[in-house]
Amino acid sequence: MAQVNDLSRSLTAFDPISTLVVVVEMSKASWLVSGAVPGVERQPLKKLEPDATALLRLIERWRNEAMRSGRPISRIALAYEAGRDGFWLARWLIARGIEAHVIHSASVAVSRERKRAKTDRLDAAMLMRVFLGWLRGERGHCGMVAIPTMEEEDARRPSRERESLVDERSRITNRMKSALARLGIRGFKPHLRKAPERLAGLRTAEGTGLPANIIEEFRRDMARLALVREQISSIEKTRAERLERAPDTGPHAMVRLLARVIGIGIETADMLVREILSRKLRDRRAVARYAGLTGSPDESGLKRREKGLAKAGNARVRRGLIQLAWRFLMFQKDSALAQWYRTRTEGPSGARKTTMIVALARKLLIALWRLVTTGEVPDGVELRLAA
């Protein structure tokens, strides 16, 4: 497989004499723009309203200043930290001929002092330092985030919305069960469709019916539950219809292929493809690292210890993979991965199952990545017949 640039450094030669470098420290109320302008000794700093057009005018003004100093500009490189504003500004600038980059916030090293000054001006200066190091092609300064298209971002919305709705359903159900437990009632399942009809028949530990306010509250909660169920069903139905109409190429083909693995449904397949498997990651180590399934060793002198998972990657992928790993053991018992897990957990000297399930999730993710990128089916894994 061809090697992919991991965006840890720039592969384009950097000429500071003809390159205008700009960084933007973005916040909800304002943007602080800092520039390194060839031919201008001072490092200009300008606070703007959150307005892309005003930013473009400022860049053009700095470009004219460089030209008046006898330094014609052939390249404009701009960067800002990933955050609340997402990627729209980068796409907007790229469409207007400006080289825009989005810095991964966690990749920027900060001072470890107990108390340190932190202002927008200092943050802008720090971003300028790390961005210049990245442009020079030096590793370790910062890492860039791959800028997705609007279509790629939009394709992730159904899975993320469904996850939010499932969490909302669990939150409402748990709150209702807690209220019933305070009245000595256990075993009632408020998420069932016939639950509203059974409210009147519930009796507290004292033998009385539910209080009037509790009943009214529960009816409102159950109405919300019904709405959430309807919305979840609508998302799943719409996704299935779009997948049937979609061409058998790109991410759609990956989803169909993953869904053929027994134990993986459309929801899990769509989440994995949209969140990680369709990304252009360098190798298997980058795949595991993006999911936060790599270790975090702590070594100094004679001290050697493991602090557990890094958890620096996509939490949504990590949670889904841990759940999938347990399900994989149920539906793919004869696979090489399941046998590997059982070999290391069985017997009195076996490792803890909760520890090894993480290792299985990491191996499973890499195996699925190879499946959708190279077509290599994991050993012993059973596939459903193609539709």
Side-chain angles (χ1 to χ4, degrees):
M1 184 180 296
Q3 291 294 312
V4 179
N5 180 20
D6 60 0
L7 301 179
S8 62
R9 61 193 178 100
S10 175
L11 301 182
T12 305
F14 177 56
D15 182 10
I17 297 178
S18 62
T19 303
L20 172 59
V21 182
V22 181
V23 296
V24 185
E25 173 63 23
M26 306 176 73
S27 66
K28 182 179 179 180
S30 63
W31 291 352
L32 186 63
V33 188
S34 176
V37 185
V40 178
E41 291 186 7
R42 64 182 176 86
Q43 185 169 312
L45 198 66
K46 180 71 174 178
K47 179 171 285 192
L48 301 175
E49 295 291 328
D51 183 2
T53 305
L55 175 62
L56 197 60
R57 287 198 299 266
L58 178 63
I59 293 173
E60 189 61 28
R61 193 181 80 191
W62 286 348
R63 181 175 188 170
N64 292 335
E65 289 184 17
M67 294 180 66
R68 286 195 297 268
S69 301
R71 301 291 178 85
I73 300 299
S74 60
R75 179 187 180 189
I76 301 176
L78 179 144
Y80 64 91
E81 272 190 293
R84 177 177 176 272
D85 286 88
F87 302 96
W88 72 268
L89 180 60
R91 290 193 294 260
W92 190 86
L93 292 170
I94 290 173
R96 284 153 181 80
I98 294 177
E99 179 185 333
H101 301 278
V102 180
I103 300 175
H104 195 303
S105 302
S107 69
V108 179
V110 297
S111 173
R112 295 187 297 173
E113 294 175 330
R114 180 179 176 86
K115 291 185 179 181
R116 65 181 180 90
K118 185 184 184 304
T119 65
D120 288 344
R121 183 184 294 269
L122 292 175
D123 288 346
M126 177 183 64
L127 289 181
M128 178 62 74
R129 288 195 299 271
V130 299
F131 188 38
L132 286 173
W134 185 88
L135 288 172
R136 290 193 297 267
E138 301 172 6
R139 293 186 183 274
H141 287 277
C142 66
M144 296 297 173
V145 181
I147 300 173
T149 64
M150 187 175 293
E151 291 74 20
E152 290 172 340
E153 281 195 293
D154 188 62
R156 301 180 193 135
R157 297 313 309 167
S159 178
R160 296 185 177 188
E161 182 187 5
R162 183 186 179 278
E163 182 184 28
S164 177
L165 289 172
V166 170
D167 291 342
E168 175 70 9
R169 182 179 63 187
S170 300
R171 186 182 65 83
I172 296 173
T173 302
N174 292 338
R175 188 178 67 239
M176 295 176 68
K177 288 182 178 180
S178 298
L180 290 174
R182 288 194 295 270
L183 298 175
I185 300 174
R186 299 182 182 276
F188 182 72
K189 299 179 180 179
H191 61 278
L192 297 179
R193 296 184 184 276
K194 293 186 178 180
E197 304 171 7
R198 299 173 181 172
L199 273 179
L202 290 178
R203 290 293 180 268
T204 66
E206 291 88 353
T208 62
L210 294 180
N213 289 335
I214 285 286
I215 292 179
E216 292 178 4
E217 178 185 349
F218 277 13
R219 294 197 184 282
R220 288 189 290 269
D221 283 338
M222 289 178 178
R224 281 197 289 270
L225 272 178
L227 176 60
V228 169
R229 279 198 303 266
E230 180 183 349
Q231 291 177 340
I232 292 175
S233 177
S234 175
I235 291 173
E236 294 172 348
K237 181 180 178 181
T238 303
R239 179 196 286 116
E241 292 174 352
R242 287 178 178 173
L243 188 61
E244 289 180 1
R245 299 194 303 266
D248 196 16
T249 57
H252 306 295
M254 292 182 179
V255 173
R256 291 191 180 100
L257 180 57
L258 273 190
R260 288 184 57 197
V261 178
I262 297 177
I264 300 181
I266 292 293
E267 170 59 32
T268 304
D270 184 75
M271 183 274 293
L272 288 176
V273 169
R274 302 298 181 183
E275 296 289 346
I276 184 170
L277 298 181
S278 61
R279 293 175 176 269
K280 296 180 180 179
L281 297 173
R282 185 186 65 244
D283 53 22
R284 61 185 179 86
R285 291 184 177 86
V287 173
R289 184 167 59 249
Y290 181 80
L293 290 172
T294 55
S296 51
D298 183 12
E299 298 183 2
S300 179
L302 297 177
K303 183 177 69 174
R304 298 286 189 276
R305 69 188 182 101
E306 182 65 45
K307 296 190 293 184
L309 288 181
K311 294 186 179 181
N314 191 316
R316 186 175 289 105
V317 173
R318 187 166 57 253
R319 289 193 301 268
L321 276 171
I322 298 298
Q323 296 172 6
L324 176 60
W326 289 113
R327 196 162 66 245
F328 188 83
L329 292 174
M330 296 173 55
F331 290 94
Q332 299 285 352
K333 296 181 180 179
D334 297 329
S335 65
L337 287 175
Q339 294 174 6
W340 174 87
Y341 174 83
R342 287 196 298 270
T343 300
R344 282 157 178 78
T345 55
E346 290 178 347
S349 60
R352 288 182 58 186
K353 293 184 178 181
T354 53
T355 300
M356 292 306 298
I357 200 66
V358 177
L360 176 63
R362 180 168 56 246
K363 286 179 172 291
L364 179 59
L365 173 61
I366 295 171
L368 295 178
W369 173 67
R370 287 173 173 160
L371 173 63
V372 298
T373 53
T374 66
E376 177 186 348
V377 179
D379 293 342
V381 169
E382 297 181 12
L383 300 180
R384 300 183 181 92
L385 295 177

